[in-house]
Amino acid sequence: MARAATLPRLTWQSATLTQVRRESSTASTLRLDVAGWPGHRAGQHVDVRLTAADGYTAVRPYSLASAAGSGLVEITVATTPGGEVSTYLVNDAVAGNHVEVRGPLGSWFVWDVSDPDPVQLVAGGSGVVPLMSMLRTHGSAGHPAPMRLLYSVSDPEQVLYADEVEQLAHAATVLHTRHSPPGTARPPGRVTPAEVEEHTLPATSRPSVFVCGPTGFVEAMLTVLTGLGHDPERIRAERYGERSSP
Ligand SMILES: Cc1cc2nc3c(=O)[nH]c(=O)nc-3n(C[C@H](O)[C@H](O)[C@H](O)COP(=O)(O)OP(=O)(O)OC[C@H]3O[C@@H](n4cnc5c(N)ncnc54)[C@H](O)[C@@H]3O)c2cc1C
């Protein structure tokens, strides 16, 4: 009987965890060794499948954090309270464990070094993960166009890739929703339209815009960005779930 053609990246592959790094009290970066990994584009994700001893399986998508062209397959997972897969990957997974992955997946929420335009990234919580892949790809290529990050996160302890974000200096703005760092003038709170305007590239510079985070955050940012005159055709968004804005 004829079998349906299968794209290699849609086939489940065995992967070995080779490194687990703590990013915060609730998030870890996991490096995976995937035989025959074809490489990925910044912004893509993989599906991760876990299988229990009784055969029960759970599949969740996770964005790739590593730079395109690096050859590294790294995901960063933040725990969802009570979450089945995220709490296992963050709290229990150790180097040497095996999981299954398929991917890289996604062809729309991606940034390539061939894009000559300025880029504005807008992250809510763990939505910073695919945007960090873009920043790393941009940095390692020495791309001449500006790439800026506006990052909304609950408190300073939850900032992912804190050292790298700090090194971005003028290219990154971190705003806290629940607790601000000591000594900062801004009280904690959701990002306001005025702050988006202040800390992002102007619509007149026609940047490519990528927004990623919980659904409520993404919807709020899309409303603000289009209100500031950004062309909806130049805005790409990825929604992680139903949690309210970080
Ligand atoms: C394209 C894509 C890329 C993603 N990339 C990442 C990533 O890089 N890092 C990362 O940490 N997560 C990422 N996610 C989210 C991830 O896929 C899971 O949804 C998340 O880890 C929760 O899975 P879980 O099994 O732990 O929770 P579940 O057991 O599925 O859910 C537990 C409870 O939490 C609720 N819930 C589920 N998901 C969420 C959520 N996202 N927000 C709020 N409540 C939720 C459920 O309704 C349920 O009540 C991505 C999602 C998508 C669609």
Side-chain angles (χ1 to χ4, degrees), residues 77-239:
V77 182
T79 53
T80 292
E84 196 170 46
V85 173
S86 61
T87 50
Y88 171 78
L89 290 175
V90 175
N91 298 329
D92 301 316
V94 293
N97 286 166
H98 298 284
V99 299
E100 289 173 289
V101 299
R102 68 179 169 198
L105 302 171
S107 57
W108 184 72
F109 192 83
V110 292
W111 179 81
D112 295 310
V113 291
S114 57
D115 181 350
D117 295 331
V119 183
Q120 180 63 55
L121 310 173
V122 182
S126 57
V128 75
V129 177
L131 308 187
M132 181 49 69
S133 176
M134 296 178 192
L135 284 160
R136 288 169 169 166
T137 305
H138 182 270
S140 56
H143 199 285
M147 180 178 274
R148 298 265 296 266
L149 171 68
L150 175 60
Y151 181 12
S152 171
V153 62
S154 59
D155 56 77
E157 285 71 40
Q158 301 306 320
V159 175
L160 300 180
Y161 322 114
D163 291 346
E164 279 177 270
V165 169
E166 199 175 316
Q167 280 171 20
L168 288 167
H170 61 281
T173 302
V174 182
L175 299 176
H176 303 88
T177 55
R178 293 195 199 126
H179 300 285
S180 294
T184 45
R186 180 185 184 271
R190 290 185 176 178
V191 182
T192 66
E195 288 174 324
V196 176
E197 183 169 21
E198 182 184 349
H199 299 294
T200 57
L201 295 166
T204 49
S205 67
R206 294 190 51 74
S208 300
V209 182
F210 294 85
V211 185
C212 187
T215 303
F217 174 84
V218 169
E219 298 306 331
M221 289 299 110
L222 292 179
T223 301
V224 173
L225 289 161
T226 51
L228 289 172
H230 288 272
D231 179 355
E233 298 277 315
R234 299 183 67 79
I235 305 177
R236 279 167 270 188
E238 188 148 86
R239 297 159 178 82

